[in-house]
Amino acid sequence: MLPLVPLVFLACPGFGSQTLGGGSSEVPADPTYVEHAGPILDDYCAPCHGETPSGGAPDYFRLDAYENDGSRDGAVEMADRIVARATGDSPTMPPAYATQPSDIDREILAAWVADGAPYGADTGGTQ
Ligand code: HEC
């Protein structure tokens, strides 16, 4: 049975990217918060890092908001920590017991931050 596993994955178009979040099958050239990173953060991070932190999550930031809401940092201020915890070879967020984003979703988050974590296509910058 084990040798069949890779074949099953190959035979399944979009494997790993058809769940929540952006649901993209590739990393867009110019990812934005509105179109790409935001939906991923909303689905996979905001359940704990939302308006009301839950699951033991720290309360100094929220990942369901783009920027600081007046008292807590948002995704753009946390961009480097998002990359550190949710992208790369050994991501530690979301915690192993929570629903995991696809590899593509993680790459989109990394590309978004590398691009300066823009809000929308029009703004170009971080604000
Ligand atoms: C099931 C709940 C849960 C989900 C979902 C979750 N986290 Fe966390 N997160 C935690 C907990 C608990 C901590 C505190 C313990 C720790 O730092 O590991 C934490 C801490 C953090 C921190 C602060 C510590 C640091 O390293 O700066 C960041 C940033 C973070 N998470 C990012 C994310 C991102 C990005 C996602 C989505 C891809 C995510 N988390 C999804 C529970 C969650």
Side-chain angles (χ1 to χ4, degrees), residues 40-41 44-49 54-58 60-61 63 78 81-82 85-86 92-95 97-99 101 106 109:
I40 297 169
L41 296 170
Y44 296 100
C45 314
C48 295
H49 301 293
S54 64
Y60 61 89
F61 69 94
L63 296 180
M78 293 300 291
R81 295 311 304 162
I82 292 170
R85 299 298 300 266
T92 53
M93 284 288 148
Y97 55 81
T99 307
R106 294 185 188 279
L109 290 178

Side-chain angles (χ1 to χ4, degrees), residues 4 6 11 18 49 63 67 73 77-78 80 88-89 104 110 124-125:
L4 283 177
Q18 57 195 185
H49 301 293
L63 296 180
E67 57 192 349
D73 282 344
E77 289 89 8
M78 293 300 291
D80 289 344
D89 290 340
I104 293 287

Side-chain angles (χ1 to χ4, degrees), residues 3-111:
L4 283 177
V5 169
L7 290 176
V8 171
F9 286 171
L10 285 176
C12 186
F15 166 71
S17 63
Q18 57 195 185
T19 49
L20 303 163
S24 303
S25 55
E26 60 185 30
V27 180
D30 297 304
T32 63
Y33 177 79
V34 172
E35 277 189 84
H36 310 101
I40 297 169
L41 296 170
D42 282 345
D43 283 344
Y44 296 100
C45 314
C48 295
H49 301 293
E51 185 175 4
T52 305
S54 64
D59 64 0
Y60 61 89
F61 69 94
R62 55 189 292 185
L63 296 180
D64 64 334
Y66 175 66
E67 57 192 349
N68 192 295
D69 64 5
S71 58
R72 290 191 289 154
D73 282 344
V76 70
E77 289 89 8
M78 293 300 291
D80 289 344
R81 295 311 304 162
I82 292 170
V83 169
R85 299 298 300 266
T87 72
D89 290 340
S90 310
T92 53
M93 284 288 148
Y97 55 81
T99 307
Q100 301 293 311
S102 70
D103 288 349
I104 293 287
D105 283 344
R106 294 185 188 279
E107 287 175 30
I108 290 172
L109 290 178

